[in-house]
Amino acid sequence: MMDDMSQYLGVFLDEATEQLELLERDILLLEQNPSQELLNGIFRAAHTLKGSSRAMGFTAMGELTHAMEDVFDQLRQNKLTVTRELVDALFAGLDMLKAMTEEIAAQGATELDASELTARLRQTLEQKTGAAPEGTPPPAPATASPETTAADPEDTAPPVPAFTLTDAQKTAVQEAQRTGLTLLTLQVRLAPDCLMKSVRAMMVLQALEQVGTLLATRPDEDALDNEEFENHFDVLIATEREDDAVAAAARGVNEVQDVRVRPFTLPQDTPATTGPAPEPAAPSRREARNTPPVVDERRIDAGPEARGKSPEEVQKIAAEKKQAQTVRVDVTRLDTLLNLVGELVMDRNRIAQLCGQLSLQVAANDILDSLQETAAHVGRITDELQEEIMKARMLPISNVFSRFPRMVRDLAQKLNKEVDFLVEGGETELDRSVIEVIGDPLIHMLRNSVDHGIELPEEREQAGKPRIGTVRLAACHAENHIVITIEDDGRGMDPEKLRASAVKKGLLTEEAAARLSDREALNIIFMPGFSTAKVVSDVSGRGVGMDIVRSNLQKLGAQIDIESRPGAGSRFTIKMPLTLAIIRGLLVHVAGGVYAMPLASVVETIRIAESDIHLVNHQEVIMQRGRVLPIIRLREVFQLDQGVTPAERALYMMEPASAEPVMDPDAPAEAPAKRSRRSGARAAQRTTRSSAARKTTRAASTETADVAVVRERASEPDAVRYVVIVGHAGKHYGLMVDTLIGEQEVVIKTLGKFLGEIPGISGATILGDGRVALIMDINGVVACAAAEKGKVHAA
Amino acid sequence: MAEVVTDLDEREEQLVAFQLAGETYGVNIFHINEIIRLREITQIPRTPPDTEGVINLRGKIVPIIDLRKRLGLPPGEHTSGTRVIIVTLDEYTVGLIVDGVNGVLRIPHASIEPPSELISGVDADYVSGVGKSGEDLVILLNLQKVLRVPVAAAA
């Protein structure tokens, strides 16, 4: 049995996950602003879920959904009101359903017991609705059956032998005719050996919903749900499509043997409707599932609301049609495609380079011309291909954001806080590789905002603020990056308190803490072992600290910036690349090797003289626009001939990334300024194609890696030094390189498991000439430099 | 008859044999991806001394280790015979620099003996056995040990 079902499991799980997400979102909206339209949607989602889980044999899931569906039904009929307790109960149910779905996904079955929850929901129903007398209209049968959770009264309804339309359905039919839609009956015949008839039937109905509006089925939908039919069933549909298109939609479902389409005409004896005004037919499919009188009642309830929505319904249908034009692609296939394009990008670079070399050696001729033309064309096509594939991998960030409102709500409730959670820019798209990893850090930061940022309502009132705190999560694109901001209007962070706290915890010396600017002091929260909460709550205390959050984000090439005003709130700004596969990098030479620095971290490049460098407190610095900029000589960080033992290496790895406050006493941090290049950095001038960069590569590679230069630096005060200013943790550092090569798009390749993590290096890329360049991890470089300093002073 | 042949096959080890500091070593052919000439290696800072760096192998980044250094043998010059054997074990693909490659050898299991004190200079941990091919001794490498990941092992 399970084997037979397993082939539908994927479909079922996809659908269930979708419906659960929908339910969660809508129940949350419901709590804020109940509307009939919303309830209809929720009811439909619950109903679909009930049907499919029962069809798959997950009875417990079906029962629980059924109980929830009944609650929604009562809400819809205004017999229940939305209360916090009710929403809590529904969320509890939802969580259970999610857990069940996960278990099913993992092991094909679920043993979770939902009977208690089901009973709780039933109880809610009983209490709230009182004992609605059974059998007398207008009770909905489902809701009026608190005595049993096992038997759905609708289940027992015998299959209807023909299209006996309810008045409401007739109204819908007439309305459809009036608006010029075609009415069709479809006779769908399933293959005789079809194993999961009800699943197939549901799939057919879903397919048909894409092309029109279902008005009725024969037998009714519950009978279809429960497999109470032979191998065929009939569907009445209102559509603006051709017969063939409708039939094709149904035939598209597996194991559908035959579909016959006939026009439908309303029997003559139908009196013109005198009841409620005509309304769009869309909701009728779900409404029509009960016995006629009950359906009528429900439709009247739902009518006035639903009627006003008709333009939206139209839009919805249009959206559904649009959806039908998309294809689901396995993500591994997209990954493979991107890898292949990555190879192509590298070969493109190589071909361009070879063409350049050839043109220097061979006198101009036609073949060379066409070769160069072709190479240029291949280059353009590759660029476009890369762009398109990157786009295909993009997902709206709402995929991540959608799970936050619920979390914030639960959290606020637990902490007795009142929080208005605003989400903006959910449509902002980014690569799925980023989507996968951005969720956890954001969860933690949001928890922090609610837990530590937002005050209790009473406190807020005392401070003259509105009772309800606001947490705002927003995403937007900025150049080739995505910027995510998390903002709250809570108590903010007091630099003075942070300093004191860091000293008390032994994270900083009093002296070092006093030297921090207010802005730098905010970064104390990212120090390992720091937590501002007076009491470690089970909320933010759970899991990781902000230090881990920051280092995880930095691994993704993200920069975090904090702004905060005591009493007014805090804002965290995360800037990160749209993809983890390809980045723009600044290529530089260091000690004979070519390195790529993620452009996201680069603020500007400058040229200085050796004599500009001063030694302050064992730290080399330069003055730049009146500010002190610590200098890190990358030659010393990346010297090659010095072997490192595994033990030493492990030491580097453990070095906390935030040793830097000690290194940099006075430099006031500023928000990453707009990248401005000085004339001294001519070599790094932006090049759209990297041809200019490649020329400099060749020129620069002739330069010998003379490590002795480093040792004798004091002896040549006029020597020109190139410094790349990078922003790291809200501070700027000057990384001294041998030469600047240029800006280029680099495909990130992992160094592989064998090498593991290497301090200061996050990966590698392959250059146009086939050589390997290492990608710098700015975070690691700064940590290495700090560790190096520590070693020297200890010695 | 057929059964006997299969039986024989199973009792045989197919190796790629190579030279290292005057000795013959062997690695099961199952782990060998390919054998290439030495090419430009990009050095990586802050890696152990036996890690030479990485190469670009048709778009893949492959780390290279100097097998002499890894096995604790005296350093040697790179010659025209020097080769890089690309091996894969589980998820690790690594290039091993060796003095030269002899070819494929078949050694019956029966003639393979456990590592003994006979092999001087090489940590017995790196050796899974010693086989005889004619008059020659072939030291069978324990790739699992040779390809250890220092950091992962420490963590």
Side-chain angles (χ1 to χ4, degrees):
Chain A
M1 164 85 171
M2 274 326 288
D3 274 349
D4 297 329
M5 309 248 301
S6 60
Q7 54 180 310
Y8 309 107
L9 204 55
V11 180
F12 166 74
L13 287 173
D14 278 357
E15 193 189 274
T17 313
E18 225 164 82
Q19 307 286 6
L20 287 174
E21 269 170 23
L22 197 84
L23 280 172
E24 179 159 311
R25 190 194 67 198
D26 287 356
I27 294 175
L28 213 51
L29 291 173
L30 189 69
E31 190 179 22
Q32 291 154 9
N33 183 23
S35 85
Q36 204 67 34
E37 186 198 5
L38 205 55
L39 276 166
N40 284 338
I42 292 173
F43 181 78
R44 235 172 290 159
H47 181 72
T48 311
L49 193 59
K50 180 190 77 177
S52 58
S53 49
R54 279 188 180 169
M56 292 297 290
F58 303 121
T59 333
M61 220 175 142
E63 291 318 323
L64 179 54
T65 330
H66 189 174
M68 288 170 73
E69 182 191 351
D70 289 348
V71 173
F72 299 136
D73 193 44
Q74 293 289 298
L75 287 171
R76 221 158 53 138
Q77 299 183 49
N78 294 324
K79 291 187 183 155
L80 265 181
T81 43
V82 180
T83 61
R84 178 172 276 191
E85 295 76 46
L86 186 65
V87 172
D88 282 345
L90 288 171
F91 272 140
L94 213 50
D95 287 341
M96 174 60 88
L97 289 174
K98 273 190 201 159
M100 288 171 144
T101 316
E102 274 163 25
E103 228 179 75
I104 291 167
Q107 37 186 286
T110 175
E111 276 145 29
L112 289 173
D113 181 14
S115 54
E116 201 179 307
L117 268 175
T118 313
R120 180 170 151 205
L121 284 167
R122 292 278 168 215
Q123 219 174 2
T124 320
L125 276 175
E126 257 178 294
Q127 286 167 356
K128 291 287 164 64
T129 56
E134 219 169 314
T136 46
T143 51
S145 57
E147 79 283 351
T148 164
T149 57
D152 184 344
E154 298 152 28
D155 291 353
T156 55
V160 190
F163 281 124
T164 36
L165 296 180
T166 64
D167 284 348
Q169 284 172 325
K170 282 173 193 161
T171 313
V173 165
Q174 285 163 347
E175 175 63 16
Q177 279 175 327
R178 206 175 55 79
T179 52
L181 293 173
T182 320
L183 289 165
L184 299 170
T185 55
L186 278 84
Q187 195 176 52
V188 182
R189 187 173 288 278
L190 299 175
D193 55 350
C194 176
L195 287 166
M196 299 283 304
K197 289 191 295 180
S198 61
V199 173
R200 289 305 173 204
M202 280 302 152
M203 286 169 79
V204 168
L205 295 187
Q206 274 175 10
L208 289 174
E209 276 188 328
Q210 305 285 328
V211 294
T213 307
L214 300 188
L215 299 179
T217 63
R218 179 176 57 189
D220 68 25
E221 258 187 72
D222 282 297
L224 291 178
D225 257 12
N226 294 310
E227 292 211 9
E228 287 161 10
F229 65 108
E230 295 301 316
N231 273 324
H232 58 87
F233 58 93
D234 298 339
V235 183
L236 175 57
I237 183 172
T239 179
E240 51 185 17
R241 302 277 192 98
E242 298 292 322
D243 302 11
D244 293 349
V246 175
R251 282 201 192 97
V253 175
N254 271 345
E255 292 190 295
V256 169
Q257 194 177 45
D258 187 34
V259 179
R260 269 183 227 167
V261 186
R262 280 195 217 91
F264 175 83
T265 39
L266 211 54
Q268 281 310 305
D269 60 342
T270 310
T273 173
T274 51
E279 54 184 290
S284 66
R285 174 193 158 194
R286 300 297 177 187
E287 316 293 342
R289 45 194 265 288
N290 289 308
T291 44
V294 178
V295 169
D296 257 337
E297 282 302 322
R298 287 196 185 180
R299 284 183 56 74
I300 290 160
D301 276 350
E305 290 291 332
R307 200 183 319 135
K309 303 297 173 204
S310 98
E312 279 165 38
E313 289 286 346
V314 171
Q315 255 180 358
K316 221 162 136 190
I317 292 169
E320 277 170 1
K321 279 179 190 165
K322 212 171 171 183
Q323 221 169 30
Q325 286 168 0
T326 62
V327 179
R328 281 190 187 208
V329 182
D330 192 335
V331 288
T332 55
R333 187 158 288 174
L334 281 177
D335 287 348
T336 312
L337 267 178
L338 187 70
N339 277 338
L340 290 172
V341 168
E343 307 273 306
L344 206 54
V345 168
M346 289 186 293
D347 284 344
R348 187 261 326 260
N349 292 350
R350 177 98 180 109
I351 289 176
Q353 192 169 24
L354 288 175
C355 275
Q357 282 171 0
L358 196 64
S359 66
L360 294 178
Q361 289 175 12
V362 182
N365 63 49
D366 287 353
I367 297 180
L368 188 63
D369 281 352
S370 8
L371 178 63
Q372 277 174 332
E373 250 170 56
T374 315
H377 188 240
V378 169
R380 271 200 308 278
I381 300 282
T382 309
D383 281 349
E384 274 172 42
L385 189 62
Q386 181 190 329
E387 202 172 304
E388 286 303 314
I389 289 181
M390 296 303 296
K391 273 189 205 155
R393 289 168 50 92
M394 294 285 192
L395 289 172
I397 200 166
S398 56
N399 274 284
V400 186
F401 283 5
S402 61
R403 50 183 161 129
F404 296 153
R406 165 79 190 282
M407 183 200 83
V408 170
R409 172 201 177 268
D410 288 357
L411 185 56
Q413 207 171 313
K414 204 163 170 182
L415 298 168
N416 293 318
K417 293 181 179 179
E418 290 176 31
V419 178
D420 202 0
F421 183 50
L422 305 175
V423 180
E424 290 163 23
E427 73 287 347
T428 313
E429 289 192 323
L430 69 173
D431 193 83
R432 54 168 290 271
S433 56
V434 183
I435 291 262
E436 277 167 11
V437 287
I438 186 75
D440 286 349
L442 288 183
I443 285 181
H444 195 79
M445 293 175 78
L446 283 172
R447 282 171 173 276
N448 241 29
S449 288
V450 177
D451 195 9
H452 302 320
I454 301 292
E455 312 92 329
L456 290 166
E458 301 74 47
E459 270 177 65
R460 290 184 65 88
E461 274 177 344
Q462 275 169 19
K465 294 186 191 177
R467 266 183 83 82
I468 302 177
T470 305
V471 174
R472 189 173 147 267
L473 172 68
C476 65
H477 280 148
E479 288 179 48
N480 269 326
H481 291 88
I482 183 163
V483 176
I484 302 173
T485 44
I486 296 173
E487 210 175 345
D488 66 65
D489 65 349
R491 58 172 72 94
M493 289 182 280
D494 184 350
E496 210 38 65
K497 280 190 190 149
L498 288 171
R499 283 193 194 98
S501 182
V503 172
K504 213 169 105 193
K505 287 177 176 140
L507 299 170
L508 284 177
T509 62
E510 212 157 309
E511 195 194 5
R515 276 202 309 256
L516 294 176
S517 69
D518 281 358
R519 182 134 188 161
E520 283 166 341
L522 294 179
N523 280 308
I524 289 178
I525 65 161
F526 292 126
M527 291 183 80
F530 188 86
S531 168
T532 47
K534 290 185 199 86
V535 185
V536 175
S537 61
D538 66 329
V539 178
S540 297
R542 198 194 85 167
V544 297
M546 286 300 276
D547 56 323
I548 310 280
V549 169
R550 186 179 69 170
S551 69
N552 281 347
L553 281 171
Q554 274 166 346
K555 272 184 202 152
L556 309 176
Q559 307 283 317
I560 312 187
D561 197 43
I562 317 174
E563 293 159 81
S564 186
R565 267 197 301 146
S570 311
R571 173 159 67 205
F572 292 83
T573 309
I574 304 166
K575 179 184 168 200
M576 60 187 305
L578 291 179
T579 171
L580 301 181
I582 298 180
I583 58 163
R584 288 201 70 78
L586 175 65
L587 297 187
V588 298
H589 259 110
V590 177
V594 177
Y595 293 81
M597 304 169 103
L599 215 51
S601 307
V602 175
V603 179
E604 64 179 313
T605 58
I606 56 171
R607 193 170 62 167
I608 59 166
E610 186 67 47
S611 56
D612 292 338
I613 302 173
H614 309 287
L615 203 62
V616 175
N617 194 22
H618 303 297
Q619 169 65 52
E620 286 188 305
V621 298
I622 56 165
M623 293 303 291
Q624 200 228 354
R625 293 191 202 116
R627 291 182 304 126
V628 177
L629 186 73
I631 294 288
I632 297 171
R633 292 179 189 258
L634 288 183
R635 274 197 171 212
E636 290 177 1
V637 177
F638 286 146
Q639 46 187 301
L640 290 165
D641 298 328
Q642 177 196 50
V644 180
T645 64
E648 266 183 299
R649 204 163 154 223
L651 200 71
Y652 286 131
M653 300 304 298
M654 287 186 301
E655 211 67 52
S658 46
E660 71 271 17
V662 189
M663 282 185 53
D664 173 22
D666 312 299
E670 62 160 32
K674 266 192 190 147
R675 219 182 303 129
S676 65
R677 283 165 211 286
R678 287 195 171 178
S679 56
R682 255 166 314 188
Q685 267 166 7
R686 190 180 280 270
T687 47
T688 37
R689 292 281 176 272
S690 46
S691 57
R694 252 178 267 113
K695 270 175 210 149
T696 36
T697 313
R698 241 175 298 136
S701 58
T702 56
E703 184 230 35
T704 51
D706 183 4
V707 183
V709 168
V710 176
R711 305 278 163 241
E712 289 164 15
R713 60 195 177 214
S715 66
E716 34 175 356
D718 298 329
V720 171
R721 300 283 181 245
Y722 292 99
V723 171
V724 180
I725 300 180
V726 294
H728 166 71
K731 303 169 68 157
H732 288 179
Y733 294 88
L735 305 188
M736 192 191 288
V737 302
D738 294 356
T739 45
L740 297 162
I741 299 170
E743 214 179 292
Q744 193 180 319
E745 206 139 87
V746 298
V747 180
I748 301 177
K749 305 233 161 202
T750 152
L751 285 171
K753 264 197 164 179
F754 177 78
L755 288 171
E757 279 188 58
I758 298 166
I761 307 288
S762 64
T765 189
I766 293 171
L767 300 175
D769 60 3
R771 286 194 303 162
V772 179
L774 300 174
I775 300 170
M776 254 185 238
D777 161 27
I778 303 298
N779 181 27
V781 167
V782 172
C784 282
E788 205 88 9
K789 283 263 132 59
K791 258 198 333 197
V792 172
H793 295 316
Chain B
M1 238 346 237
E3 265 177 27
V4 177
V5 172
T6 322
D7 205 26
L8 268 180
D9 277 347
E10 276 174 5
R11 292 212 246 142
E12 224 178 40
E13 190 114 341
Q14 272 202 56
L15 306 168
V16 167
F18 55 88
Q19 291 301 123
L20 208 60
E23 303 270 6
T24 305
Y25 289 78
V27 170
N28 194 314
I29 200 161
F30 180 75
H31 297 299
I32 312 276
N33 290 14
E34 61 186 301
I35 295 160
I36 57 170
R37 282 174 194 280
L38 200 59
R39 59 174 79 176
E40 192 188 346
I41 296 175
T42 300
Q43 288 177 281
I44 304 177
R46 291 170 191 273
T47 45
D50 55 15
T51 303
E52 288 289 300
V54 290
I55 58 161
N56 163 19
L57 187 66
R58 289 185 301 279
K60 270 209 175 110
I61 305 285
V62 178
I64 303 293
I65 60 175
D66 185 327
L67 199 53
R68 275 180 179 253
K69 284 186 192 162
R70 171 68 50 119
L71 299 185
L73 298 168
E77 292 286 302
H78 291 165
T79 66
S80 59
T82 303
R83 292 289 182 273
V84 179
I85 303 180
I86 311 287
V87 296
T88 297
L89 186 73
D90 299 333
E91 286 164 67
Y92 300 125
T93 297
V94 177
L96 308 172
I97 302 180
V98 301
D99 293 353
V101 172
N102 305 6
V104 178
L105 278 184
R106 286 162 190 271
I107 296 184
H109 274 176
S111 78
I112 297 177
E113 285 172 24
S116 67
E117 300 308 314
L118 276 176
I119 328 142
S120 56
V122 176
D123 190 338
D125 251 14
Y126 291 133
V127 179
S128 63
V130 179
K132 267 200 195 116
S133 166
E135 290 302 296
D136 294 336
L137 284 182
V138 180
I139 304 166
L140 306 184
L141 275 190
N142 180 346
L143 266 194
Q144 193 91 42
K145 288 275 162 60
V146 173
L147 299 193
R148 76 185 194 281
V149 187
V151 173

